[in-house]
Amino acid sequence: MNQESNGEFSVARVTRAWYVACGSRELRGDPIARKILGIPLVLFRGPDRKPSALLDRCAHRNAPLSLGRSVGGRLECAYHGWQYDAVGVCVKVPGLVGEAEKTTREVPRFPAREQDGFVWVYATAGVEPAGEPYRLPATSRGYTEVRRTVEVESTLHAALENALDVPHTAFLHKGLFRGVGRTHRIRARVTRSAMQIEAEYIGEPRPEGLAGRILSPSGGVVTHFDRFILPSIAQVEYRLGSENHFLITTLCTPVEDFRTRLHASILFRTRFPGWLARLILEPVALRIFRQDAEMLKRQTAAVRRFGGEHYTSTEVDVLGLQIWQLLKRAEAGELTPSEEWKREIELDV
Amino acid sequence: MNQESNGEFSVARVTRAWYVACGSRELRGDPIARKILGIPLVLFRGPDRKPSALLDRCAHRNAPLSLGRSVGGRLECAYHGWQYDAVGVCVKVPGLVGEAEKTTREVPRFPAREQDGFVWVYATAGVEPAGEPYRLPATSRGYTEVRRTVEVESTLHAALENALDVPHTAFLHKGLFRGVGRTHRIRARVTRSAMQIEAEYIGEPRPEGLAGRILSPSGGVVTHFDRFILPSIAQVEYRLGSENHFLITTLCTPVEDFRTRLHASILFRTRFPGWLARLILEPVALRIFRQDAEMLKRQTAAVRRFGGEHYTSTEVDVLGLQIWQLLKRAEAGELTPSEEWKREIELDV
Amino acid sequence: MNQESNGEFSVARVTRAWYVACGSRELRGDPIARKILGIPLVLFRGPDRKPSALLDRCAHRNAPLSLGRSVGGRLECAYHGWQYDAVGVCVKVPGLVGEAEKTTREVPRFPAREQDGFVWVYATAGVEPAGEPYRLPATSRGYTEVRRTVEVESTLHAALENALDVPHTAFLHKGLFRGVGRTHRIRARVTRSAMQIEAEYIGEPRPEGLAGRILSPSGGVVTHFDRFILPSIAQVEYRLGSENHFLITTLCTPVEDFRTRLHASILFRTRFPGWLARLILEPVALRIFRQDAEMLKRQTAAVRRFGGEHYTSTEVDVLGLQIWQLLKRAEAGELTPSEEWKREIELDV
C-alpha cells in the first residue's frame, strides 16, 4: 500500500503560537470545548468576562470540564463538582474537610486573549506567550466585512497551500473564477522574510470567469498579492480596476493533524453597494469553499491511504514549499530573520 | 496529546473468577453470544438444560458457534455442521468417514453455573474453578426485588468506583438524591479485609433530595454502607428511619477493557407498598442510571483521548483506590488475607 | 483475546498475476477507481478506447486521479489539471512555462487488457507481464451465460475455499442444494499440477434438494469437478443426467486482505429453455450467494477478533489446504511444475 511513499506527512506542530479558538460570540454563559493541535481545551469566561482556556480534563477523575458549568466565573466539573478559577487553580472540592487548593489539583492553563471578535489561545500551557495574536486589518469607510468559518479535513499545510494557490482555480473552480478564455503569461515576484512569504502577480488581466465579468465588465488591470504569515495566516489581496478591492484574511487553526479550521474575514469594496456585492458574491464564494473542502478531504484520504505524501512540485507551485519551510522552522523554534530574498518566475494563467 | 498522562488505564483482568454472563431467561432454545474480559463466548443449554459456555469459535474454520443451533443439547456450527457436546468435544463432522472425536477438534470450555436467576461463567477455560459464584442476598417478607441490566462504556474499575461513590451524587444527580440544602459533616468508617472493602457512613441526616423527602417525610437517621466485594460486586445498603431499607447489589461483568455490564438487584422495603414504591422510585433510579452511564462514557472517552488516566484523589474518594488495590491483587493472584484494617475519615455531605 | 491463535491469517499476495478490475461495460467515458491487493487504481480508456490502469494518485499533490476526467484519451486531474497519457506520462502542467514531461511527474502504470467482457489488470506496475489473463470457457449452442459480481468481506483464500467446498452446502444452504435425504458414500479423486488443483467427485447421486429435483426429476448420475486455477479462479463443473450441464467460473479479485470481489460466469444447459432455467435458478443462486457472503463476513470478523486463524482440517476439506499451498508458492514466485500427484479419499455427502 505504501508504494512509493516516504511515509511522511506535511504536519508541522507550531506550539508556541496564537490560534483562533472560537468566535467571541460562541463563548457566552456555558463553557465550550475546542481543540488546537490535538489538545482538548475548555473555554469559559472568568468573573471579569475575560476568556480562559484550560486543558479539558478535570484533575480528579478526568471528566471533560466542558461538560460542566460556570458558577460565578468559576468552572465547575459536572461529575463531582470540583471548581477551578480562571487560571486553573482548584478552589473547591465538595465534601472535602480541609483546603481545596493544592498543586496536584491544578489544571494546565493556556494563555487566552479576546481580539477582533475572536478568542485566541496560545498553544503551550503555563508559559509566557512570545508576542500577541495577529491583528486583523482594520476596516475603513466604503468597505464591507463578511466572516465565515469552515472546517476542512486536511493538514494545516495543505489548507494553506490551497488557500494561496493560483493554478488550481482554473480547474477545481472552473468557470467561477479562472479557466475560461485563453491564458496569459504573467510574472510572480516572490518575497520571503523571516515571518512571511508573499507573491505578487504582475500583468494579470481581468479573469474571464463569472466573478470577474460581474465586477469589472470593462476589463481593467489586476493587482494581486498572496501572503502567508506565520504561524497560520493566509491572505489574498486583489484589486480589479480602481473600484474593486478584496482582502481575504484566513486565520487557520490546526485542530488536529488532519483537521483544520478556517476563520475567514472577507473585506471588500466593489462598484456595487456592499449588500448587493454580498448578495452576488456570497453564493460564488460558498461554492469555491465547498469545492476546496471536498478536494482537500479527498487529497487527505489519499495521502493517508498511501501512508504518506509523495509530492512533486513545479515552478508554478509558487508558495507551497516556502510555506512548508517556514512552518518547519517555526516548529523547530528557528525564527532568526536571516533568510530574506526576492525572486521572480513566469507562469501562464 | 498524551500531555501529562502516564499512559495507563485502570484495567485489571481478574480471570480466575465468576462473572454473570446473562440472565437465566435470556438463554433459551438457541445459543447466544456473550463476551467476558474480551473473550467471545457462546452459551447454550445441554441435554439436561444446564448451561454450557464455550469459546465462540468453531475449531474447524473459526465461524462463530453462536450463529449455530442447538440439536438435542449439542451445539451445531452453522457453516459445516460440526457438532459439540456440553464440554466442547467435537462429536460429529458431517461428511467425514471415521471418528469425529479428536483433541484438536475440541473447543475450549469455560465452567458455567446457573444461580439466583443468572448464568455465571468462570473466566478461565479448562480449569477447576476456585470457589463458587457469589450468592445474592435472600429476599424476605415485605421486600420487593427489581432487576435491571445496563451496559456502560467504562472500565470495570470506573464503574465500580462510580457505583460506590458518595460525593458525585450531589452534582451529577443534583436534586434527585443529594445536593440540595446545607451540607453536614459526617464520618466514614472504612474496613478492609482480604476480599472486600466496606465504608459505613455515620451521622448522615436524611438527604434533602426528592427521593429522600418522599421516603421519609419526617426526616430520620440514615444507616448507610457501601461495599466492594471481589471480583466485581458493588453493594449499597441504606436504611432511612425504621421503615425504609434498600439493598442494591450490582454484579459487574467486565465485557471488554472499556465496556462493563451491570446486573443490578434492587431489594427494598419502604413505608409504601412495593408496587407503589416501585412506581415512584423507578423513574428516579432510571434517571440516575442514565446520568452515570453518560458520565462514565464521557470520562472513558477523555482518558482514551489522552492515552491514559491522570487522576488525583482526596480523602473523600473513600473507596476508589481501595477497589483498585484489591482488583490488582486479585489479578496477580495475591489473595492472602493479610491486609485487614479499619480507619475513619470525615467528610461533608 | 488472542487465545490459541497463531496470529496469522491466510493472506497471500500474488502480485505477478492478472486480476479482473471491472466489467468492460463499467468503464465508459469517465475514469473509475478500483483496488487490487490494496493498491488504489484509476482505470480509463485511452484515445484508442483501450483500457489503461494507473496508480490512483496524482504525482503533483496526490489527489485521486479517479476524481478527474478523460480529455481526448488523456486523464486530467481534477485539482490542478495535470494530464497523463495512457502509460502514465505527464503531458501537461497548466500554468507551467516549459516542458511538462519529466520522469518525476510520471504515475506508475499497471498493464491492462480487455478480454471476455472484463478489464484485467496485472498487479505489478511497470513490468512486462508473465503471460496473459485467463480465458473464460467459450459458450456453445444451447448454452446460456449469466454473470454476477459480488463483493465478500473475506480473504481471497477463504472465498476460494468456500466456493469449492462441498460439505458446507448441506448446512449453510440446507435444503436448497444438499442436506436433505440420507447421505451417500462417494469418492473424490484429487489431481494436483503446478498451476491448479482439481477434485472429481465420483458416485454422487442426484442431490435431493430443491435445485436437484427440478433439474432432474427422474434422478440420474452426477459428474462433478471442482477446480482451483492459480492465481484466483474457482471453477465448478456439474453434469446431472444427460441434459443438465453447469460450468461456474468465478474470477476472484483480492481487493484488500479481507475483501474479495467475485466475478462469476455461470454457463449452463438444462432440460428447460435458457430463459426458464434462469427464471427458476436465479433466486436459488442469489440466496446461496447471500448465505455464503454473510458467513464469510462472520468468519472474517471472528478470525480478526481473535487476531489470527486457528483452523483444524479433516480429509473432507478436500481442496482448502491445497489452494493455500498453491497461493503461497505463487506468492513466493515458485512456479516450478514439480509437484504433480493424484490421490483419492472417501466422504459422505
Side-chain angles (χ1 to χ4, degrees):
Chain A
M1 186 85 85
N2 301 350
Q3 190 166 353
E4 301 190 33
S5 148
N6 55 5
E8 281 176 24
F9 299 97
S10 295
V11 173
R13 301 187 188 99
V14 182
T15 54
R16 305 246 159 184
W18 291 98
Y19 298 102
V20 170
C22 68
S24 285
R25 277 177 297 187
E26 294 178 88
L27 186 58
R28 295 176 187 272
D30 279 321
I32 62 171
R34 285 293 181 275
K35 223 183 232 190
I36 297 179
L37 288 170
I39 306 163
L41 300 169
V42 55
L43 307 178
F44 69 107
R45 292 191 181 274
D48 51 3
R49 309 295 300 152
K50 281 195 186 159
S52 273
L54 305 180
L55 193 65
D56 191 11
R57 179 179 69 172
C58 184
H60 179 222
R61 285 297 177 266
N62 296 180
L65 289 168
S66 52
L67 294 181
R69 54 184 194 134
S70 179
V71 181
R74 290 169 171 192
L75 180 58
E76 182 184 86
C77 181
Y79 198 172
H80 298 84
W82 287 32
Q83 285 185 6
Y84 299 91
D85 69 10
V87 294
V89 170
C90 178
V91 290
K92 187 175 172 191
V93 173
L96 183 65
V97 177
E99 204 47 58
E101 276 193 47
K102 215 171 158 177
T103 317
T104 55
R105 292 177 199 148
E106 283 178 18
V107 167
R109 175 181 71 101
F110 294 78
R113 298 280 189 276
E114 192 157 17
Q115 183 182 290
D116 295 329
F118 290 111
V119 175
W120 298 75
V121 171
Y122 197 72
T124 301
V127 298
E128 199 53 43
E132 290 299 305
Y134 175 83
R135 281 225 162 265
L136 275 180
T139 58
S140 37
R141 211 165 145 265
Y143 280 80
T144 303
E145 193 195 15
V146 176
R147 291 198 174 179
R148 279 286 172 276
T149 296
V150 290
E151 201 165 290
V152 295
E153 296 175 34
S154 83
T155 62
L156 172 63
H157 176 255
L160 288 166
E161 182 175 38
N162 170 272
L164 298 175
D165 174 72
V166 170
H168 84 279
T169 58
F171 289 87
L172 188 56
H173 313 308
K174 198 179 199 95
L176 288 179
F177 196 42
R178 293 193 181 84
V180 287
R182 67 178 198 81
T183 62
H184 304 267
R185 180 142 312 170
I186 65 167
R187 278 174 304 129
R189 185 180 297 145
V190 184
T191 311
R192 175 162 154 182
S193 56
M195 295 293 286
Q196 76 166 54
I197 178 91
E198 178 187 279
E200 183 186 358
Y201 294 91
I202 300 153
E204 186 177 8
R206 189 203 68 184
E208 295 296 306
L210 187 62
R213 275 178 292 135
I214 289 170
L215 288 168
S216 192
S218 59
V221 169
V222 164
T223 318
H224 173 188
F225 291 90
D226 285 343
R227 295 182 193 102
F228 165 64
I229 303 155
L230 269 177
S232 63
I233 294 148
Q235 194 170 61
V236 175
E237 184 164 10
Y238 222 87
R239 284 177 202 269
L240 183 54
S242 58
E243 291 169 311
N244 305 289
H245 183 205
F246 294 84
L247 184 60
I248 302 155
T249 308
T250 306
L251 311 166
C252 299
T253 303
V255 177
E256 295 175 348
D257 285 351
F258 297 102
R259 185 172 290 276
T260 301
R261 213 171 161 90
L262 314 179
H263 308 86
S265 153
I266 303 148
L267 198 64
F268 62 91
R269 190 193 67 205
T270 68
R271 68 185 189 100
F272 301 107
W275 64 268
L276 182 56
R278 186 173 175 155
L279 200 71
I280 297 167
L281 295 174
E282 207 154 34
V284 179
L286 286 178
R287 196 163 163 200
I288 288 174
F289 273 149
R290 271 199 302 274
Q291 288 171 335
D292 280 329
E294 177 64 18
M295 180 54 76
L296 285 167
K297 177 181 172 176
R298 303 298 292 261
Q299 178 194 19
T300 301
V303 297
R304 297 186 77 169
R305 192 165 64 165
F306 280 99
E309 290 159 6
H310 188 251
Y311 288 179
T312 190
S313 294
T314 75
E315 260 194 347
V316 299
D317 296 303
V318 177
L319 297 181
L321 286 177
Q322 301 302 327
I323 295 170
W324 179 238
Q325 285 176 17
L326 283 174
L327 284 174
K328 290 304 284 180
R329 281 170 52 84
E331 185 185 41
E334 296 158 11
L335 289 172
T336 48
S338 58
E339 305 200 37
E340 307 208 355
W341 48 252
K342 269 197 196 343
R343 71 174 65 139
E344 270 192 35
I345 63 152
E346 282 189 324
L347 70 163
D348 294 329
V349 297
Chain B
M1 187 85 86
N2 301 348
Q3 188 165 356
E4 301 191 33
S5 149
N6 55 6
E8 280 177 25
F9 299 96
S10 295
V11 172
R13 302 188 188 98
V14 183
T15 52
R16 304 247 159 184
W18 290 99
Y19 298 102
V20 170
C22 68
S24 285
R25 276 179 296 190
E26 293 177 87
L27 185 58
R28 296 175 186 275
D30 279 321
I32 62 172
R34 285 293 181 275
K35 221 183 233 190
I36 297 180
L37 288 170
I39 307 163
L41 299 170
V42 55
L43 308 177
F44 68 108
R45 293 190 181 274
D48 53 3
R49 308 295 301 151
K50 281 193 187 161
S52 273
L54 305 181
L55 192 66
D56 191 12
R57 180 179 68 172
C58 183
H60 179 221
R61 285 297 177 265
N62 295 181
L65 288 168
S66 53
L67 293 182
R69 55 183 195 136
S70 179
V71 181
R74 290 169 170 191
L75 180 57
E76 182 183 87
C77 180
Y79 198 172
H80 298 85
W82 286 33
Q83 286 185 5
Y84 298 93
D85 69 10
V87 295
V89 170
C90 177
V91 290
K92 187 175 171 190
V93 174
L96 183 65
V97 177
E99 205 47 58
E101 275 193 48
K102 215 171 159 176
T103 316
T104 55
R105 291 177 200 150
E106 283 178 18
V107 167
R109 175 181 70 101
F110 295 77
R113 300 279 188 278
E114 192 157 15
Q115 183 182 290
D116 295 328
F118 290 111
V119 175
W120 298 75
V121 170
Y122 197 73
T124 301
V127 298
E128 199 52 43
E132 289 298 306
Y134 176 82
R135 281 225 161 267
L136 275 180
T139 59
S140 38
R141 210 164 145 265
Y143 280 81
T144 303
E145 193 195 17
V146 176
R147 292 198 174 178
R148 280 285 171 278
T149 297
V150 289
E151 202 164 291
V152 295
E153 294 176 35
S154 83
T155 62
L156 172 64
H157 175 255
L160 287 166
E161 182 175 37
N162 170 273
L164 298 174
D165 173 72
V166 170
H168 85 278
T169 58
F171 289 87
L172 188 56
H173 314 307
K174 197 180 199 92
L176 288 180
F177 196 43
R178 294 191 181 85
V180 288
R182 67 177 197 82
T183 61
H184 304 267
R185 179 142 314 169
I186 64 167
R187 277 175 305 128
R189 187 178 297 145
V190 184
T191 312
R192 175 162 155 183
S193 56
M195 294 294 285
Q196 76 166 54
I197 179 91
E198 179 186 277
E200 183 185 357
Y201 293 91
I202 300 154
E204 186 178 8
R206 188 204 68 183
E208 293 298 304
L210 187 63
R213 276 179 290 135
I214 288 171
L215 287 168
S216 191
S218 58
V221 170
V222 165
T223 318
H224 173 191
F225 291 90
D226 285 344
R227 295 182 194 102
F228 165 64
I229 304 156
L230 270 176
S232 64
I233 293 149
Q235 194 171 59
V236 175
E237 184 162 11
Y238 221 89
R239 284 177 203 271
L240 183 53
S242 58
E243 289 170 312
N244 305 290
H245 183 204
F246 294 83
L247 184 59
I248 302 155
T249 308
T250 306
L251 311 166
C252 299
T253 304
V255 176
E256 295 174 348
D257 285 351
F258 297 102
R259 187 172 289 275
T260 301
R261 213 170 161 89
L262 314 179
H263 308 86
S265 152
I266 303 150
L267 199 63
F268 63 92
R269 190 192 68 204
T270 69
R271 67 185 191 99
F272 301 106
W275 65 268
L276 182 56
R278 185 171 175 158
L279 201 68
I280 297 167
L281 295 174
E282 208 154 34
V284 179
L286 286 178
R287 198 163 162 198
I288 288 174
F289 273 150
R290 271 198 303 272
Q291 288 172 334
D292 281 328
E294 177 64 17
M295 180 54 77
L296 286 166
K297 177 182 172 175
R298 302 298 292 263
Q299 179 194 19
T300 301
V303 297
R304 297 186 80 170
R305 191 166 64 166
F306 279 99
E309 291 159 6
H310 187 253
Y311 288 179
T312 189
S313 294
T314 76
E315 261 195 348
V316 300
D317 296 303
V318 178
L319 297 181
L321 287 177
Q322 302 302 327
I323 294 169
W324 179 237
Q325 285 177 17
L326 284 173
L327 283 174
K328 289 304 285 180
R329 281 170 52 84
E331 185 185 40
E334 296 158 9
L335 289 171
T336 49
S338 58
E339 304 200 36
E340 307 209 353
W341 48 252
K342 267 196 198 342
R343 72 173 65 138
E344 270 192 36
I345 64 151
E346 282 190 324
L347 70 163
D348 294 330
V349 297
Chain C
M1 187 85 84
N2 301 349
Q3 190 165 353
E4 301 190 34
S5 147
N6 54 5
E8 280 176 25
F9 298 97
S10 295
V11 173
R13 302 188 187 98
V14 183
T15 52
R16 304 248 158 183
W18 291 98
Y19 297 102
V20 170
C22 70
S24 286
R25 277 178 297 188
E26 293 177 89
L27 185 59
R28 296 176 186 274
D30 279 322
I32 63 172
R34 285 293 182 273
K35 223 183 231 190
I36 297 179
L37 289 170
I39 307 162
L41 300 170
V42 55
L43 308 177
F44 68 107
R45 293 190 181 275
D48 51 3
R49 308 294 300 151
K50 281 194 186 160
S52 273
L54 305 180
L55 192 65
D56 191 11
R57 180 179 67 171
C58 183
H60 179 222
R61 285 297 178 265
N62 295 182
L65 289 168
S66 53
L67 294 181
R69 55 185 194 132
S70 181
V71 181
R74 290 168 170 193
L75 181 57
E76 182 185 87
C77 181
Y79 198 171
H80 297 84
W82 287 31
Q83 286 186 4
Y84 299 92
D85 69 10
V87 295
V89 170
C90 177
V91 289
K92 186 175 172 191
V93 174
L96 182 66
V97 177
E99 204 47 59
E101 277 193 48
K102 215 171 159 177
T103 316
T104 55
R105 293 178 197 148
E106 284 178 18
V107 167
R109 175 182 70 101
F110 294 77
R113 299 280 188 277
E114 192 156 17
Q115 182 182 290
D116 296 328
F118 291 111
V119 173
W120 298 75
V121 170
Y122 197 72
T124 301
V127 298
E128 199 53 42
E132 289 299 306
Y134 176 82
R135 280 226 161 266
L136 276 180
T139 58
S140 37
R141 213 168 144 262
Y143 280 80
T144 304
E145 193 194 17
V146 176
R147 292 198 174 178
R148 280 286 171 278
T149 296
V150 288
E151 201 165 291
V152 294
E153 294 176 33
S154 83
T155 61
L156 172 64
H157 175 254
L160 287 166
E161 181 174 37
N162 170 273
L164 298 175
D165 173 71
V166 170
H168 86 279
T169 58
F171 289 87
L172 188 57
H173 314 307
K174 199 180 198 90
L176 288 180
F177 195 43
R178 293 191 180 86
V180 288
R182 66 178 199 82
T183 62
H184 303 268
R185 179 142 313 170
I186 64 166
R187 278 176 302 128
R189 186 179 297 146
V190 184
T191 311
R192 175 162 155 182
S193 56
M195 295 293 286
Q196 77 165 54
I197 179 90
E198 179 187 277
E200 182 184 0
Y201 293 92
I202 301 153
E204 187 177 7
R206 187 203 70 183
E208 294 297 305
L210 186 62
R213 276 179 290 135
I214 288 170
L215 288 169
S216 192
S218 58
V221 169
V222 164
T223 317
H224 174 191
F225 292 89
D226 285 343
R227 295 182 194 101
F228 166 63
I229 303 155
L230 270 175
S232 64
I233 293 149
Q235 194 171 61
V236 176
E237 183 162 14
Y238 222 87
R239 285 177 201 270
L240 182 55
S242 58
E243 290 170 311
N244 305 290
H245 183 203
F246 294 82
L247 184 58
I248 301 155
T249 307
T250 307
L251 311 167
C252 298
T253 303
V255 177
E256 296 174 348
D257 286 352
F258 297 101
R259 187 173 289 275
T260 301
R261 213 170 160 90
L262 314 179
H263 308 86
S265 152
I266 304 149
L267 199 62
F268 62 91
R269 189 191 69 203
T270 68
R271 67 184 191 99
F272 301 105
W275 64 269
L276 182 56
R278 185 172 174 156
L279 201 70
I280 297 167
L281 294 174
E282 207 154 35
V284 178
L286 285 178
R287 197 164 162 199
I288 288 174
F289 273 149
R290 272 198 303 273
Q291 289 171 334
D292 280 328
E294 177 64 19
M295 180 54 78
L296 286 167
K297 178 182 172 176
R298 301 299 292 262
Q299 179 194 18
T300 300
V303 298
R304 297 186 79 169
R305 192 166 62 165
F306 279 99
E309 291 160 7
H310 188 252
Y311 288 179
T312 190
S313 295
T314 76
E315 261 196 347
V316 300
D317 296 304
V318 177
L319 297 182
L321 288 178
Q322 301 303 326
I323 294 169
W324 179 237
Q325 286 177 16
L326 285 173
L327 284 174
K328 288 305 284 181
R329 282 169 53 84
E331 186 185 40
E334 297 159 8
L335 288 171
T336 48
S338 57
E339 305 202 35
E340 306 210 352
W341 48 252
K342 267 195 196 343
R343 71 173 66 137
E344 269 193 35
I345 63 151
E346 281 189 323
L347 70 163
D348 294 330
V349 296

